Structure formats: C-alpha cells, structure tokens
Amino acid sequence: VDTRELADQLTDAPPLWVQTEEDANTTLQALGPAVTGTVLCVASGGDTPLALLGAGAREVIAVDINPAQVAVAELKARSVELLDLPSLEILWLGNDPAARLAIYKSLEERLSPASHQVLGRWLNQADARPLIEQGGMQGVGTELREREPVLAALLPDWFQTEDLAAQREYHDRHLQPLAGIIAALRQARAERWFGAGGNESDASVAREMQDRFKRRFRHLVEHIPVAENPYAAHLLLGAYLPDARPGYLTAAGHARLMQAAGKISFVVGDLIEVAASLPLKSLDAADLSNVADLLPEDEMARLFSALASVLRPGGRVVHRNLVWEEPYAVAAGFARDMETSRVLAFSDRSFVYSAVTVDVFRGGY
Ligand SMILES: C[S@@+](CC[C@H](N)C(=O)[O-])C[C@H]1O[C@@H](n2cnc3c(N)ncnc32)[C@H](O)[C@@H]1O
C-alpha cells in the first residue's frame, strides 16, 4: 500500500492508539528548553500533548488526521483537568465498562461535539479491557495473557529484576520466545488496519518489520531497564505497574496538569496543512511522531519547508521512524543534532523505533 494511502486510511479509522507508544522523556530531552514555548505535536493518544504541558509548554497545538485520535486526546486532556486521580484510573485503567461510561458521561458536555460523537459510539462498543488496551493497534499485552498464559505469568517477575544483568539473565532463561510472539501479534494488528498486501514484497516487508522488532527487543533486554518502564509495561503486560505509569496517571503529574490542561488546542487535519497555516515564526518546537513513515519524500520536504516558515531560529523538531530504518534526509534550513539523536535512539524507553532524530532550525531560510 502506498504510504499516502496509509495516511488517508486513518481519516475514518477508530482510535488506534489510546496510549501513545512514544517515550515522553525522549521528546522532552530532544526539544530541550524549546519545550517551554509554543509546541506543535501529533495528538495520537493525548500523552505527548500532556507531557509537553507538564514540562512547562506555554501552548500546545495537537494535530491528528484521524478525528478519533483527536477525540481520545481531548478526552484525556479534559479528564486530567476535571477528574481526581481515582476517577482517572477508573476511566483509563479500569475494567468495568459501566463505571467507565458513567465517568465519561460526566465529561461529555465539556468535549467538542465531533469528539463527543466519536467517543459515545466507541465507548458503547468497548469491552472490559482497560481503555489503554483498546486502541486498534494495541491490546497485545492482553492477547499475550490469553494465548500464552505460562509465558505471561513469568513477566511480572521480569519487571522486578534489579539490574540489567539480572534482567538479561531472567529473559534469556525464561522469556526467549517472547519477542517473536509479540512481533507476530503486532504485525497482525498492523495488517488488520492497514492491509496485509498480497505479494512477495509485502511479505518480505512484514518479515523485516518483525525481525526489526526482535532486534529492538534485544536492545531493550540488554540496555533499557524494564523496571519502572511504563512503555514496556503497557506493551507486554497490557497494564501499568505502580512505579511505571505515564505522568498524567501519577499524583504529582496529575496535580501539575490539572492547572495546565486547558492550554492545548486540538486540530483535526493533516500535519503539513496545519503547520503551513500557523503564523510565521510562531513556533518553538515540533514533535512529528513517526508520521514520516507514512509520507513520501516530497511530502516530507513540504512539511519541513512549512516548519521552516513557522519555527523561530533555534526551533527544534523531533521525529521517529518505525517503518523506515533511516530518518528523513536533513531538510534545507535545518541542521541535525547527531549526538542527541544517537543518544535518544539508544535510551528511548519505548524502544521500538529504529531512529529518533532531532533537527534544529538554523533560521534565515
Ligand atoms: C504515526 S501514528 C503512530 C503511533 C505513534 N507512534 C504513537 O505511539 O502514538 C501517530 C499518529 O499520527 C497520526 N497521523 C498520521 N499521519 C498524519 C498526518 N499526515 N497528519 C496528522 N496526523 C497524522 C495518526 O492518526 C496517529 O494518531
């Protein structure tokens, strides 16, 4: 399937990511002090806009081509602003659909009519799994528990291992088949939403994606502690652990965000068009998620040329790659921060990305 077609398919998809699979620490380190200004980001499951606000952004513009993602992100922001932590937990982590729906009803009036419409339908169809597992591209942890109960039962102890040596040893002794199983489950999810293709070249891309996931998983095993890692917990367990939660679900993060969550504006639209529509030199930073994976090179050039008009000199842009191994070539007017990109690709707790890349606008373009 052509990459542009993939993006177009998203315009009428249900929510695919309810919990963003992108490490907030990576984003914040990539953007540095620019994060306290006006930041453009992809809305996805709403976690990135909230993390940016939590780090002191003056204003966040959260864009998504899929109205259902904007709806989820808006619900996340409104729920953080208006609910106490126990109610937030029932809404996002609970497994009681009636209790979840009652909480949603209490917020409904505070959502835009478009989001309200998408979410009412979606929540009425949702099952007992926690909402964070009900993104169409997610739910792999729950599935693993159902299909591989013996392996899944060994996982909580892995999240308790004390250091990287113990983590590697436990994995190699008990969890060897895990990466292959998760890679296949993720591939099946992607094919369900984006199609499997049918020819040998599609099959070889599918194999390569799974092999790449296995390589990145080995990187996790050897270099990134799973203890206190909310991204690994969400992916593998389908749940968070007490010490491994995203910021908005912690007491301190929630308290900080309650005051600030009103500072996000949500926009349904194509990132390129929205970037091009912003006032000149009005932006300090941008987080492009991994939309580059879905855009052909000429459209990426258009996106960076729009960013060059709206960023202030020194403005920083972070982007990730899941599908392509190599990041987009450096655009005119930008310089790549190679060292930060390398360090972040290594340390990123969400670990699945083959590249995390930071480009800095030099100005005067
Ligand atoms: C690229 S996807 C991948 C998921 C992402 N890595 C995460 O963890 O949330 C992220 C989001 O980008 C949105 N998206 C994809 N192409 C877009 C585009 N051209 N403009 C705006 N949003 C886009 C998708 O709808 C989705 O919500």
Side-chain angles (χ1 to χ4, degrees):
V1 184
D2 171 78
T3 45
R4 184 70 237 182
E5 276 176 45
L6 284 179
D8 288 345
Q9 262 170 258
L10 291 170
T11 56
D12 54 4
L16 295 178
W17 293 275
V18 177
Q19 166 60 46
T20 307
E21 219 179 33
E22 289 173 17
D23 185 349
N25 287 356
T26 300
T27 300
L28 301 182
Q29 285 174 55
L31 302 184
V35 86
T36 55
T38 299
V39 189
L40 175 71
C41 72
V42 173
S44 192
D47 309 85
T48 301
L50 285 172
L52 293 165
L53 276 189
R58 183 169 55 237
E59 188 193 350
V60 175
I61 304 158
V63 185
D64 209 290
I65 202 167
N66 179 357
Q69 290 297 152
V70 167
V72 168
E74 198 187 339
L75 176 62
K76 207 167 267 180
R78 287 293 86 77
S79 64
V80 166
E81 190 181 2
L82 301 167
L83 298 178
D84 58 18
L85 193 52
S87 305
L88 264 186
E89 289 174 350
I90 294 171
L91 179 61
W92 296 105
L93 308 181
N95 50 14
D96 177 346
R100 176 201 296 157
L101 208 53
I103 289 180
Y104 168 70
K105 291 278 175 205
S106 75
L107 298 172
E108 209 173 32
E109 273 186 11
R110 306 293 295 269
L111 300 167
S112 64
S115 293
H116 171 164
Q117 206 176 21
V118 173
L119 292 168
R121 206 168 43 233
W122 180 60
L123 286 169
N124 273 310
Q125 289 167 358
D127 55 45
R129 289 173 301 158
L131 271 194
I132 57 154
E133 276 286 271
Q134 301 217 20
M137 290 288 283
Q138 299 173 319
V140 173
T142 321
E143 221 172 319
L144 181 77
R145 253 199 327 273
E146 285 161 6
R147 291 184 182 205
E148 303 280 345
V150 176
L151 199 57
L154 289 164
L155 273 171
D157 280 348
W158 194 40
F159 280 80
Q160 304 280 326
T161 43
E162 270 179 9
D163 55 27
L164 282 173
Q167 171 171 309
R168 189 175 54 236
E169 195 189 315
Y170 187 95
H171 171 271
D172 291 353
R173 182 171 304 173
H174 300 295
L175 302 173
Q176 289 278 5
L178 186 63
I181 294 169
I182 298 273
L185 291 175
R186 281 170 66 87
Q187 186 63 31
R189 296 261 149 172
E191 289 180 3
R192 176 157 168 230
W193 293 106
F194 298 112
N199 55 38
E200 182 44 39
S201 128
D202 293 322
S204 94
V205 171
R207 275 196 301 276
E208 165 56 21
M209 287 302 294
Q210 292 182 67
D211 286 347
R212 188 171 323 154
F213 178 86
K214 288 188 244 174
R215 289 199 292 278
R216 292 300 303 171
F217 196 88
R218 190 68 211 167
H219 180 76
L220 172 82
V221 168
E222 291 188 2
H223 301 293
I224 307 171
V226 291
E228 300 180 24
N229 180 340
Y231 304 95
H234 177 250
L235 177 64
L236 303 175
L237 305 172
Y240 297 123
L241 295 168
D243 294 332
R245 285 178 163 207
Y248 73 96
L249 289 170
T250 64
H254 175 241
R256 205 167 36 242
L257 284 167
M258 276 184 107
Q259 317 298 324
K263 292 194 283 184
I264 308 175
S265 49
F266 292 102
V267 187
V268 175
D270 192 299
L271 190 57
I272 305 175
E273 315 305 334
V274 176
S277 73
L278 297 175
L280 297 182
K281 303 204 183 306
S282 62
L283 208 62
D284 297 285
D287 179 346
L288 310 182
S289 177
N290 61 315
V291 299
D293 280 327
L294 303 175
L295 292 175
E297 224 170 289
D298 57 332
E299 297 211 36
M300 278 305 284
R302 237 169 25 95
L303 174 56
F304 269 88
S305 137
L307 288 170
S309 308
V310 298
L311 280 166
R312 291 189 250 273
R316 295 174 77 82
V317 181
V318 58
H319 46 115
R320 293 161 164 86
N321 284 88
L322 186 68
V323 178
W324 307 130
E325 190 104 64
E326 293 292 319
Y328 171 71
V330 188
F334 289 81
R336 185 147 292 167
D337 182 340
M338 299 295 280
E339 179 57 12
T340 307
S341 303
R342 193 188 57 74
V343 167
L344 293 179
F346 187 90
S347 63
D348 185 69
R349 292 173 302 164
S350 50
F351 76 87
V352 294
Y353 301 99
S354 44
V356 176
T357 310
V358 183
D359 288 337
V360 184
F361 180 51
R362 288 182 288 139
Y365 170 62

